[in-house]
Amino acid sequence: MMLEDVLRYLEEKRSCPHCGQTLSLCHAPSIHVGDGLGWGSEYLFICLNDECPMFAGGWDFIAQQYGHVGSYRYMELPGSRENHAMMVAGKDAFTGSIVDVDELRRQDQRYQKLQEALSQLDTCVAERNLVPVLTVLLDDAARLDERKRAASLLAELNDLDCVEPVRNHSFRDGSLQLQVNMALKAVLEHHYLKECPYCAELIKARARVCKHCKHELAA
């Protein structure tokens, strides 16, 4: 729903009543500076025009009234005409939080791909389908329990095609990395293979010299 919400909000074409500039759709801060509560929306329409009279004149007002450095940017809530003068501490406020629609589309595509892969985990072993397991396992945004479930299926699938993509991924969770290492070890042993400690190529388990890099291997 997040992407749908953003696309719907962008159709609203809001304008600042103080300067006439089109308002930018920005990610809302997690804390409402006025009362410590959230804004009730993940997004806000904000005027980012530094020449806006509200913003340009707010510096002197805040300095005189409160003795602080700051100003105001005009803000409206999506889905309503509720508006506020939002206090900001500097000119860069909110300029780095403008909604990137292309990035949201990429996130939505990743999420949809992940959900499809999760729905296929129950049948992937019977169907000899490694793709959903790798999709879940290699997605750092997936929940840890989901990734561990995917890792638990590697040995059952017993597919050597899992070795390279898994070895080329950095797992930040130590317990997941350990589970993956054990699964890969089981897969390689089932195929009477091992990884060369020097060049990482797969070789026969009984090999004493790597056929790829020619290093002698410990007995």
Side-chain angles (χ1 to χ4, degrees):
M1 289 298 294
M2 181 172 62
L3 179 60
E4 294 176 11
D5 289 341
V6 169
L7 294 177
R8 186 174 70 253
Y9 294 153
L10 290 174
E11 292 177 354
E12 296 184 23
K13 302 295 183 184
R14 305 288 187 93
S15 298
C16 175
H18 302 279
C19 66
Q21 178 160 306
T22 300
L23 302 182
S24 298
L25 186 65
C26 300
H27 294 280
S30 57
I31 300 298
H32 188 312
V33 295
D35 57 14
L37 301 176
W39 288 98
S41 172
E42 293 184 56
Y43 307 98
L44 304 173
F45 284 108
I46 300 176
C47 177
L48 297 180
N49 179 17
D50 289 349
E51 304 302 319
C52 178
M54 172 180 279
F55 183 73
W59 301 98
D60 289 339
F61 178 82
I62 288 180
Q64 294 170 6
Q65 293 294 317
Y66 307 108
H68 298 303
V69 175
S71 186
Y72 296 100
R73 288 199 184 276
Y74 178 78
M75 179 273 286
E76 291 183 359
L77 288 173
S80 76
R81 287 295 168 180
E82 181 180 346
N83 63 80
H84 299 272
M86 178 183 284
M87 186 179 291
V88 294
K91 290 187 175 183
D92 292 335
F94 290 102
T95 58
S97 62
I98 299 174
V99 172
D100 184 336
V101 177
D102 290 337
E103 176 59 28
L104 285 180
R105 283 197 173 98
R106 286 190 290 271
Q107 291 178 12
D108 184 69
Q109 289 170 358
R110 183 208 61 78
Y111 175 79
Q112 297 300 333
K113 184 179 179 181
L114 175 62
Q115 296 309 305
E116 181 180 359
L118 286 170
S119 70
Q120 295 173 343
L121 289 185
D122 288 336
T123 59
C124 67
V125 173
E127 296 172 355
R128 313 308 301 165
N129 185 6
L130 178 63
V131 174
V133 170
L134 291 181
T135 298
V136 176
L137 181 59
L138 303 181
D139 188 339
D140 291 327
R143 297 202 318 262
L144 182 59
D145 64 310
E146 294 171 340
R147 300 178 75 190
K148 286 188 172 184
R149 181 188 173 200
S152 70
L153 299 172
L154 287 174
E156 291 184 68
L157 279 166
N158 194 32
D159 190 333
L160 287 174
D161 286 341
C162 74
V163 177
E164 282 305 305
V166 170
R167 282 298 190 215
N168 281 286
H169 189 85
S170 297
F171 295 94
R172 293 191 291 267
D173 183 83
S175 62
L176 178 58
Q177 179 70 75
L178 180 61
Q179 184 179 354
V180 166
N181 289 344
M182 294 177 64
L184 290 184
K185 183 174 183 292
V187 171
L188 292 174
E189 287 179 349
H190 187 271
H191 290 273
Y192 304 101
L193 296 173
K194 64 183 177 182
E195 294 173 281
C196 173
Y198 299 100
C199 68
E201 291 286 354
L202 299 186
I203 55 178
K204 292 180 180 180
R206 66 179 185 274
R208 294 294 174 260
V209 176
C210 177
K211 68 177 183 179
H212 301 282
C213 66
K214 309 308 180 184
H215 270 90
E216 291 188 9
L217 307 173

